């Protein structure tokens, strides 16, 4: 084989490789655009629930992203969240929602140290399936990998407070200890809002007054959270 022919073959191979890489980059870019359409929609829905057309548009966008890049755990998790909104708003039936479990498990398998995935999965198991034992297990994994992430914090406390009467004494003690660690930090505002939302001020204030009353920040917290709670004796 002549040097000229070898050079031409090498250049052809290089061109094919570059074209393939460019194709993958374009595919990833299109998938990302679809993903952000769904993410922006989900953010808007926190303030204003979607109508049927808005939901279908977001569901189609994230489905397209997941089809283009099925190995992306972020896309799988977003697809599960969009599905849950569809179920809560009546646009998705219970049988269709059951597919969410496989989406969560795929996302976790692809990224096993991702605390948000565990928290979202636990939230799903608790609030839509009432599988509280399994939900608690997933929340423990979320706390192991990211106890101080706002998303994990919000979902762990929301699930715990929503089903407070079903928690064991040991589980309640764990929630109280977690509150003690987070109530004075950056997550303190969110903690106070959730305790107030679920009307657990009395229980929380009694516990905290026995554990953190010596801290300089306690009087301010007490005035914000415990003004109507019965003090500990």
């Amino acid at each position: 084989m002549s040097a000229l022919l070898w050079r031409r073959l090498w250049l052809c191979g290089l061109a094919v490789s570059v074209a393939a890489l460019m194709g993958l980059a374009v595919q990833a870019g299109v998938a990302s655009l679809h993903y952000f359409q769904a993410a922006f929609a989900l953010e808007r829905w926190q303030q204003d629930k979607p109508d049927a057309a808005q939901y279908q548009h977001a569901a189609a966008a994230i489905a397209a992203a997941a089809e283009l890049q099925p190995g992306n755990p972020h896309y799988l998790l977003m697809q599960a969240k969009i599905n849950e909104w569809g179920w809560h708003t009546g646009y998705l039936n219970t049988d269709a929602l059951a597919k969410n479990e496989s989406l969560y498990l795929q996302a976790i398998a692809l990224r096993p140290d991702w605390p948000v995935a565990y928290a979202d999965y636990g939230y799903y198991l608790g609030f839509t399936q009432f599988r509280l034992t399994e939900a608690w297990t997933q929340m423990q994994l979320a706390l192991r990998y990211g106890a101080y992430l706002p998303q994990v914090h919000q979902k762990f406390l929301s699930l715990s407070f929503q089903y407070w009467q079903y928690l064991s004494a040991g589980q309640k003690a764990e929630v109280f200890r977690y509150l003690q660690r987070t109530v004075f930090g950056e997550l303190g505002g969110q903690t106070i809002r959730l305790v107030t939302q679920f009307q657990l001020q009395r229980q929380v204030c009694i516990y905290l007054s026995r554990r953190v009353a010596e801290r300089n920040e306690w009087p301010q917290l007490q005035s914000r959270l415990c003004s109507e709670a019965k003090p500990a004796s």
Side-chain angles (χ1 to χ4, degrees):
M1 183 181 294
S2 68
L4 179 60
L5 181 58
W6 176 257
R7 177 181 175 82
R8 287 177 177 174
L9 290 174
W10 180 82
L11 289 173
C12 286
L14 179 61
V16 170
S17 298
V18 170
L21 290 173
M22 290 180 64
L24 290 174
V26 170
Q27 181 174 307
V30 173
S32 181
L33 287 175
H34 286 309
Y35 169 79
F36 282 112
Q37 288 179 22
F40 290 146
L42 191 67
E43 185 67 25
R44 290 196 302 270
W45 297 349
Q46 308 302 317
Q47 306 299 325
D48 189 17
K49 292 182 179 179
D51 59 28
Q54 291 169 335
Y55 168 72
Q56 292 299 336
H57 180 74
I62 194 58
E67 184 176 357
L68 286 168
Q69 288 198 306
N72 189 311
H74 293 272
Y75 297 174
L76 295 169
L77 202 64
M78 179 59 67
Q79 194 170 21
K81 292 180 180 179
I82 295 291
N83 287 345
E84 283 164 40
W85 266 95
W87 181 76
H88 283 298
T89 51
Y91 304 132
L92 193 71
N93 63 37
T94 301
D95 289 339
L97 183 69
K99 298 177 182 177
N100 259 25
E101 187 148 10
S102 66
L103 295 175
Y104 283 118
L105 293 175
Q106 289 178 62
I108 289 170
L110 289 165
R111 190 176 170 185
D113 59 350
W114 191 13
V116 174
Y118 290 112
D120 286 346
Y121 183 32
Y123 198 79
Y124 162 79
L125 290 171
F127 278 95
T128 71
Q129 306 294 302
F130 200 64
R131 291 156 58 184
L132 299 183
T133 300
E134 295 168 77
W136 183 264
T137 298
Q138 296 304 315
M139 287 299 178
Q140 295 307 294
L141 290 167
L143 293 176
R144 178 192 300 176
Y145 291 112
Y148 300 104
L149 288 177
Q151 305 97 311
V152 172
H153 179 77
Q154 189 271 333
K155 285 185 166 59
F156 172 62
L157 290 186
S158 293
L159 184 74
S160 298
F161 292 162
Q162 177 67 37
Y163 297 111
W164 186 254
Q165 61 180 317
Y166 299 105
L167 298 186
S168 67
Q171 289 170 332
K172 289 180 178 178
E174 184 170 342
V175 175
F176 280 137
R177 289 192 294 269
Y178 179 75
L179 286 170
Q180 184 177 339
R181 296 197 306 270
T182 59
V183 74
F184 292 114
E186 294 181 0
L187 299 172
Q190 189 180 61
T191 299
I192 291 171
R193 286 193 298 273
L194 288 169
V195 171
T196 303
Q197 176 186 335
F198 288 94
Q199 300 181 354
L200 288 170
Q201 297 97 314
R202 180 179 180 277
Q203 295 93 320
V204 170
C205 289
I206 289 174
Y207 176 85
L208 291 178
S209 68
R210 293 170 174 169
R211 299 298 190 284
V212 299
E214 74 285 354
R215 293 188 57 155
N216 294 332
E217 304 97 321
W218 169 244
Q220 182 179 4
L221 175 64
Q222 189 177 33
S223 67
R224 293 178 63 190
L225 184 63
C226 307
S227 58
E228 297 181 6
K230 181 180 178 181
S233 57

